[in-house]
Amino acid sequence: MKVVNLKQAILQAWKERWSDYQWAINIKKNCPKGASWDYLNLAEALLEQAMIGPSPNPLILSYLNLLFATFAQRMNAHKTCCLLTANFCNNTRNCKLVHHYTTRCQSSWTNVEQALLKLSENLNAVANQTLKEDLEECVSLVKSIPQILSLQSDPPVHTLFPSVHAFIMLEGTMNLTGETQPLVEQLMMIKRMQHIPAPLFVLEIWKACFTGLIESPEGNEELKWTAFTFLKIPQVLLRLKKYPQGEKTQDFMEDMNVAFEYLLNLTPLLDKADQRCNCDCLSLLLQECNKLGLLSEANTASLTAKRSEDREHAPRLRTAENANIQPNPGLILRAEPTVTNILKTVDADHSKSPEGLLGVLGHMLSGKSLDLLLAAAAATGKLKSFARKFIKLNEFPKHISGEGSKSASVRALLFDISFLMLCHVVQTYGSEVILSDPSPSSETPFFETWLQTCMPEEGKTLNPDHPCFRPESGKVESLVALLNSSSEMKLVQMKWHEICLSTPAAILEVLNAWENGVLSVEAVQKITDNIKGKVCSMAICAVAWLVAHVRMLGLDEREKPQTMIRQLMTPMSGENTLQFYHERVVIMSSILEHMCADVFQQTGLSLRPAVEGQEPIPYRDLLPARQPIRQSLQTQFREVLEKGWVDSHAFHLFENLLHMGGVFWFTNNLVKELLKETRKEWASRVVELLYSIFCLDTQQITLTLLGHILPRLLTDPAHWHSLADPPGRALAKLSVWCALSSCSSHHKGQASARQRKRQREDIEDYTSLFPLDDTQPSKLMRLLSSNEDETVMLSSPGDRSMSSSLSASQLITWSNLFLLISSLLGSKTAGPHTQFVQSFIEECVECSEQGSRGSILQFMPFTMISELVKLQALAKPKTVLSITDLSLPLGRRMAAKAIASL
């Protein structure tokens, strides 16, 4: 009866809102004389009643506080105090509740910290050694409460990290021009998600760089990889050194030193890189890292000496053939300061004496100087500036005043060289490097207009009848007459921009005349000689139109236009040519070969004989002939899985398949490959490899994965068996990793030149898709809001800037996914699908940052928390604190209730 009376008293106190004084008087009636206040488990009864309802009852908690205050006055036995504190702090649930309280009432925790400080100062005065040790343990336990969320189990011993390796391979192969900071952010996310120790993380980066350097095709691709390894990656590591680390680690310079010590053990890898580059690659890297403050002088000297000893036993590097060839790493490192000097030179005023500038440009054209300079500029973020300067230079010859033959030839060369350089940049690094944001006040430069409307690119189809190929008829007629005359083309007063725009129409006239028997082969040859004889830009403009024209013809109609293309590609012989002709023709031939590759491949023809063992255009035409693309995807992925990493060749093939099959086809078929893996270690490897492959287009692939593929697997019972572990857990891990990267890359504005441009929705579309009105409030907005009294908050304060930058598609996709998960949990039907949900939430918790609700969990309805903790694996205080938003009152109340119910 006493127990019943006690519960009735508590309920009556709550209903009548008793004050502390009233509670103290009335509760004595239920306690026998002389008994302690906690007779009949009064404290437990109060706590149990306080936790009934949607949130903890503050009034009943105040009675509990009064009880505690009464006992505190009577706790004068110091051993007893230590025992109570130790028992309290050794209970994880209690510590989590205290941690939760500190987020709401920082001042109270400050008082605790001051008391701990005072206690620590007076510990030496305690004579009893046992009591002193107990007090020290208590201080340590209480101090550990704020770090309660960061305590994680030791990761398994793991030394290979395919996702780091593959991500570096992807960036080095396809994104040399990308900004450094997004790359740093992505790498740090991978490091945090996979709990990779810093030395092994840096080691994996270097391993990928050396692998890419060894595997890259000769020529431009090798230069790009060299610039990436020796210029860009040291800058990335410098930013990683300055990156705010969540956990306290050893000095970054020491981590770098340890990573290089590990790298020294990979002698075959280093030897192969040295053979490929014809130099001591590691020593050059050590010097660069030392210059940037990533390695100390002592460590640099020690590592260099160790590598020198190893190289004494390495295969001989220099042979008779390559003894005089300068190594690319040294050339790239020297090219980097040269880029800055050239940019300053081009910026100077050359209107009075452009001959000096012509000498600089001519020097750039010699040998592989241009490719070296472009690679160095791309790796250091100067390529866009480089391109803008040459567009400005290309505009300079438009302005003609009274000129003699010498100034006319200089003007023609300035136009031609800048045009060739810009075409080469577009084909090597993408048109995004060239194109500027449209400005209503200024006229679009000639080259940008020509690039967008007339230049053939991979995956771009041009209309040969487009108005851009049809200028004024009078200009075309005069150009045809000029090309067909026997006299030499005069350069004085020539408007080269207009000539280039008129060339396609002139070529059409010539082609029609030839096909109708008006012109002979010899006459056509003379015309094509005139086109390519002075200004190579004319030949490029002519072939650009011919490629678009040939695409529209049947195979039996292509002979004559393809013959004209070959004529335009063949270099002129003789002395009657402009300066730097040989150097300009080399670049022109490369540009034309790239332009025509697709058209000539259709008929099995080649523009020029292939060099044995060397691809004419690297990474082109990679798909096997007459093989279904799904089979190509499966075959390539299985090869990658066996190998353990994704190389450059594979990335290009995957990119082709992504563009051919589309995002859903690509993602869905690779997820099927993951779900085939029934071995835990292989499923983990697939996750790491797929994560890096999905970086080809993180945004769209993640939207497809979370918005289409997962819902289909979770809602159809026929698919549930495929979600059983280990593939189900692996898919959950992959989904979370992709979602976090998608949040991060979108927030940081990461955009890669390799990704196809897709129109993204603005955040304003969000309100039109989910209109808010009084009669039918949006389910999504009700889901995201915390309660009726609070303003709509998508996330904790640290994440709100990210939320405001997400696209409507991302907001809707993630919110709908959590609505689906919530409904699955509420259906009370257990199976592999609920096991998947459990794995998904566990991975979210594992990857979330301490003190925030995480980039994905912010979309979870608060009502899901009570359902999630019913799953045994999620019934942990750490899980509750991670999945609730402690910055919001409702989040704090739900967290306290959930922890108390565990």
Side-chain angles (χ1 to χ4, degrees):
M1 288 300 296
K2 290 288 184 183
V3 174
V4 174
N5 290 342
L6 178 61
K7 288 190 175 181
Q8 287 177 344
I10 295 172
L11 287 172
Q12 187 179 352
W14 173 67
K15 288 178 183 177
E16 297 177 5
R17 302 295 190 268
W18 289 354
S19 66
D20 292 350
Y21 181 70
Q22 288 174 294
W23 166 259
I25 292 174
N26 287 303
I27 203 65
K28 280 188 177 181
K29 297 175 184 177
N30 290 288
C31 291
K33 282 194 174 183
S36 74
W37 275 61
D38 204 24
Y39 184 74
L40 305 175
N41 294 323
L42 176 58
E44 187 175 338
L46 284 170
L47 186 61
E48 183 181 338
Q49 290 297 317
M51 293 303 167
I52 293 176
S55 59
N57 190 309
L59 182 65
I60 298 179
L61 286 176
S62 73
Y63 303 153
L64 187 63
N65 188 49
L66 175 69
L67 180 65
F68 181 76
T70 306
F71 269 98
Q73 295 170 8
R74 297 166 60 187
M75 287 166 62
N76 51 11
H78 302 302
K79 286 185 181 179
T80 307
C81 288
C82 288
L83 186 63
L84 284 170
T85 306
N87 287 342
F88 182 88
C89 291
N90 279 321
N91 185 305
T92 308
R93 189 178 76 168
N94 292 340
C95 290
K96 301 280 183 178
L97 281 169
V98 172
H99 177 270
H100 164 256
Y101 179 72
T102 63
T103 63
R104 188 176 182 181
C105 190
Q106 186 61 40
S107 58
S108 297
W109 182 250
T110 304
N111 293 336
V112 174
E113 289 179 320
Q114 290 174 349
L116 286 175
L117 185 64
K118 190 175 180 181
L119 177 60
S120 301
E121 291 173 351
N122 295 320
L123 274 177
N124 291 330
V126 179
N128 187 322
Q129 187 60 31
T130 305
L131 176 60
K132 184 177 180 180
E133 290 174 359
D134 290 344
L135 287 170
E136 287 174 345
E137 184 183 357
C138 288
V139 169
S140 176
L141 285 169
V142 177
K143 282 184 176 179
S144 68
I145 289 176
Q147 281 78 42
I148 200 75
L149 272 184
S150 62
L151 298 175
Q152 297 186 8
S153 58
D154 294 331
V157 179
H158 189 44
T159 56
L160 297 175
F161 303 96
S163 54
V164 178
H165 192 109
F167 184 72
I168 292 294
M169 293 294 291
L170 174 65
E171 290 293 308
T173 302
M174 296 185 175
N175 202 22
L176 181 60
T177 58
E179 294 180 18
T180 305
Q181 190 57 31
L183 172 56
V184 171
E185 298 284 347
Q186 187 69 37
L187 283 170
M188 284 305 299
M189 176 164 288
I190 296 172
K191 180 180 182 293
R192 188 175 66 247
M193 289 191 302
Q194 299 183 32
H195 311 296
I196 307 175
L200 294 179
F201 179 65
V202 176
L203 171 66
E204 202 66 51
I205 292 174
W206 287 130
K207 281 164 60 179
C209 286
F210 279 101
T211 305
L213 201 57
I214 292 165
E215 292 185 343
S216 58
E218 287 184 18
N220 220 346
E221 296 301 319
E222 184 184 352
L223 291 180
K224 288 161 92 172
W225 259 107
T226 308
F228 182 75
T229 302
F230 290 88
L231 293 179
K232 189 164 187 174
I233 288 298
Q235 289 296 327
V236 167
L237 291 171
L238 183 62
R239 294 205 189 189
L240 284 173
K241 178 185 177 184
K242 298 174 182 176
Y243 198 91
Q245 302 289 332
E247 70 280 356
K248 191 171 184 180
T249 58
Q250 63 178 335
D251 182 66
F252 189 83
M253 289 177 72
E254 184 55 34
D255 290 334
M256 283 286 292
N257 182 50
V258 174
F260 276 118
E261 290 280 3
Y262 290 157
L263 188 61
L264 278 172
N265 295 327
L266 305 177
T267 309
L269 179 73
L270 298 179
D271 288 347
K272 203 160 188 178
D274 287 356
Q275 280 183 292
R276 176 69 195 270
C277 298
N278 196 28
C279 65
D280 185 352
C281 293
L282 187 64
S283 295
L284 283 174
L285 269 181
L286 292 172
Q287 291 171 23
E288 285 303 300
C289 291
N290 177 243
K291 284 179 193 173
L292 294 173
L294 294 168
L295 274 175
S296 66
E297 290 283 353
N299 286 342
T300 304
S302 172
L303 291 165
T304 304
K306 288 178 183 177
R307 178 57 188 154
S308 297
E309 289 177 20
D310 291 341
R311 291 181 84 242
E312 290 179 6
H313 309 289
R316 302 299 299 172
L317 296 180
R318 295 189 178 276
T319 62
E321 294 81 25
N322 65 10
N324 297 320
I325 299 175
Q326 289 185 293
N328 284 333
L331 293 173
I332 280 287
L333 290 170
R334 288 200 295 274
E336 191 265 331
T338 309
V339 170
T340 307
N341 294 333
I342 288 174
L343 290 175
K344 290 178 182 175
T345 303
V346 176
D347 260 344
D349 183 11
H350 299 282
S351 54
K352 294 181 181 176
S353 57
E355 293 83 359
L357 179 60
L358 190 60
V360 174
L361 298 182
H363 179 71
M364 287 176 64
L365 293 177
S366 61
K368 57 183 180 184
S369 297
L370 180 59
D371 287 327
L372 276 166
L373 292 167
L374 292 179
T380 53
K382 298 187 180 80
L383 187 58
K384 198 163 185 75
S385 175
F386 209 82
R388 299 312 307 166
K389 296 288 189 294
F390 283 92
I391 283 180
K392 187 177 177 183
L393 183 61
N394 189 254
E395 293 287 291
F396 173 69
K398 274 184 179 178
H399 313 290
I400 307 173
S401 54
E403 65 176 0
S405 59
K406 184 179 179 183
S407 57
S409 64
V410 170
R411 188 169 57 83
L413 285 168
L414 288 177
F415 173 83
D416 200 38
I417 293 173
S418 57
F419 188 93
L420 290 166
M421 286 180 172
L422 289 167
C423 286
H424 187 60
V425 169
V426 169
Q427 290 184 336
T428 310
Y429 296 100
S431 55
E432 291 82 6
V433 177
I434 300 290
L435 298 174
S436 58
D437 297 325
S439 174
S441 57
S442 60
E443 182 185 354
T444 304
F446 159 74
F447 186 82
E448 286 192 41
T449 305
W450 182 84
L451 167 62
Q452 290 176 298
T453 56
C454 305
M455 183 175 179
E457 294 180 83
E458 191 177 6
K460 176 179 171 184
T461 303
L462 297 173
N463 177 10
D465 298 321
H466 191 277
C468 70
F469 293 119
R470 298 287 175 271
E472 299 173 24
S473 58
K475 292 180 180 177
V476 176
E477 290 173 7
S478 60
L479 178 58
V480 171
L482 182 64
L483 293 172
N484 201 29
S485 67
S486 56
S487 59
E488 184 186 343
M489 184 185 287
K490 303 295 182 185
L491 304 178
V492 178
Q493 299 297 311
M494 235 359 143
K495 296 182 179 179
W496 295 111
H497 303 83
E498 293 182 3
I499 293 290
C500 282
L501 291 176
S502 302
T503 298
I507 285 291
L508 174 60
E509 294 291 327
V510 173
L511 185 60
N512 285 338
W514 185 19
E515 288 177 339
N516 290 314
V518 177
L519 289 176
S520 63
V521 178
E522 293 75 19
V524 173
Q525 180 72 64
K526 186 182 73 171
I527 291 172
T528 54
D529 285 349
N530 278 335
I531 289 174
K532 68 188 177 187
K534 298 288 184 185
V535 180
C536 295
S537 312
M538 288 179 67
I540 292 173
C541 294
V543 172
W545 178 82
L546 282 166
V547 167
H549 179 67
V550 168
R551 282 182 184 277
M552 304 299 170
L553 301 177
L555 295 180
D556 56 340
E557 302 172 293
R558 295 184 172 189
E559 183 185 351
K560 284 186 168 60
Q562 286 185 337
T563 301
M564 289 187 76
I565 290 174
R566 284 200 182 87
Q567 289 176 347
L568 288 164
M569 282 198 68
T570 308
M572 292 277 291
S573 57
E575 302 297 325
N576 193 21
T577 55
L578 283 177
Q579 195 178 1
F580 307 121
Y581 182 72
H582 174 71
E583 293 84 353
R584 286 184 290 130
V585 163
V586 170
I587 299 177
M588 180 193 79
S589 299
S590 169
I591 294 167
L592 296 184
E593 187 177 356
H594 278 81
M595 279 185 176
C596 304
D598 294 337
V599 166
F600 275 77
Q601 187 215 358
Q602 292 171 3
T603 52
L605 300 173
S606 59
L607 283 164
R608 58 186 179 192
V611 179
E612 186 178 352
Q614 182 180 341
E615 297 173 275
I617 304 175
Y619 306 131
R620 201 72 172 261
D621 311 322
L622 299 175
L623 292 174
R626 298 182 181 180
Q627 187 181 75
I629 59 172
R630 183 176 180 183
Q631 187 179 338
S632 296
L633 181 67
Q634 290 174 332
T635 303
Q636 184 60 58
F637 181 72
R638 288 293 141 188
E639 288 179 8
V640 162
L641 186 57
E642 290 292 333
K643 191 175 183 180
W645 73 84
V646 192
D647 59 24
S648 302
H649 183 277
F651 266 124
H652 278 280
L653 196 147
F654 281 130
E655 186 188 38
N656 287 348
L657 289 166
L658 170 61
H659 291 174
M660 289 182 72
V663 178
F664 178 82
W665 175 88
F666 184 79
T667 311
N668 190 43
N669 279 294
L670 286 177
V671 167
K672 286 180 181 177
E673 294 300 308
L674 168 60
L675 295 178
K676 290 178 185 176
E677 291 301 333
T678 55
R679 295 167 295 176
K680 184 178 178 181
E681 63 276 13
W682 282 85
S684 298
R685 180 187 285 191
V686 172
V687 169
E688 295 197 43
L689 293 173
L690 282 187
Y691 171 73
S692 55
I693 293 169
F694 285 177
C695 286
L696 282 166
D697 196 343
T698 304
Q699 300 299 328
Q700 296 301 319
I701 288 176
T702 302
L703 286 174
T704 301
L705 178 62
L706 272 62
H708 297 281
I709 296 171
L710 286 189
R712 191 177 64 169
L713 291 170
L714 290 170
T715 54
D716 187 354
H719 291 302
W720 286 354
H721 70 280
S722 65
L723 294 175
D725 285 346
R729 179 173 287 275
L731 179 58
K733 184 186 287 284
L734 176 65
S735 303
V736 173
W737 286 6
C738 288
L740 285 171
S741 294
S742 181
C743 285
S744 173
S745 60
H746 197 287
H747 178 40
K748 300 299 177 185
Q750 183 180 21
S752 158
R754 68 176 180 268
Q755 294 179 2
R756 291 184 298 172
K757 296 292 180 182
R758 292 185 177 90
Q759 187 174 1
R760 302 192 185 278
E761 304 90 337
D762 293 323
I763 195 68
E764 287 77 16
D765 296 339
Y766 173 84
T767 51
S768 63
L769 287 166
F770 288 87
L772 278 173
D773 57 76
D774 295 330
T775 57
Q776 190 180 9
S778 158
K779 178 185 280 190
L780 178 63
M781 294 305 286
R782 283 191 284 110
L783 159 72
L784 296 176
S785 62
S786 51
N787 65 12
E788 294 174 357
D789 300 324
E790 296 165 359
T791 56
V792 174
M793 295 295 183
L794 299 179
S795 61
S796 62
D799 293 324
R800 283 173 197 153
S801 60
M802 185 281 293
S803 299
S804 63
S805 72
L806 292 176
S807 71
S809 292
Q810 287 174 309
L811 288 166
I812 295 163
T813 298
W814 293 332
S815 301
N816 284 345
L817 179 62
F818 275 108
L819 281 173
L820 172 60
I821 289 174
S822 183
S823 68
L824 289 173
L825 292 173
S827 68
K828 312 299 182 187
T829 306
H833 61 299
T834 49
Q835 192 177 11
F836 174 85
V837 169
Q838 176 182 304
S839 301
F840 185 86
I841 298 297
E842 283 180 323
E843 192 61 34
C844 288
V845 171
E846 196 67 25
C847 294
S848 64
E849 295 183 34
Q850 181 183 352
S852 76
R853 199 180 175 210
S855 321
I856 315 167
L857 291 171
Q858 59 179 304
F859 298 100
M860 188 184 73
F862 283 117
T863 52
M864 265 182 66
I865 297 167
S866 58
E867 294 291 334
L868 286 172
V869 294
K870 292 177 183 176
L871 299 173
Q872 186 176 1
L874 299 178
K876 302 172 186 174
K878 176 185 174 181
T879 305
V880 173
L881 290 177
S882 296
I883 64 181
T884 49
D885 191 343
L886 299 180
S887 67
L888 299 176
L890 179 58
R892 292 192 291 268
R893 290 198 294 272
M894 295 297 289
K897 180 186 176 183
I899 292 173
S901 69
L902 297 177

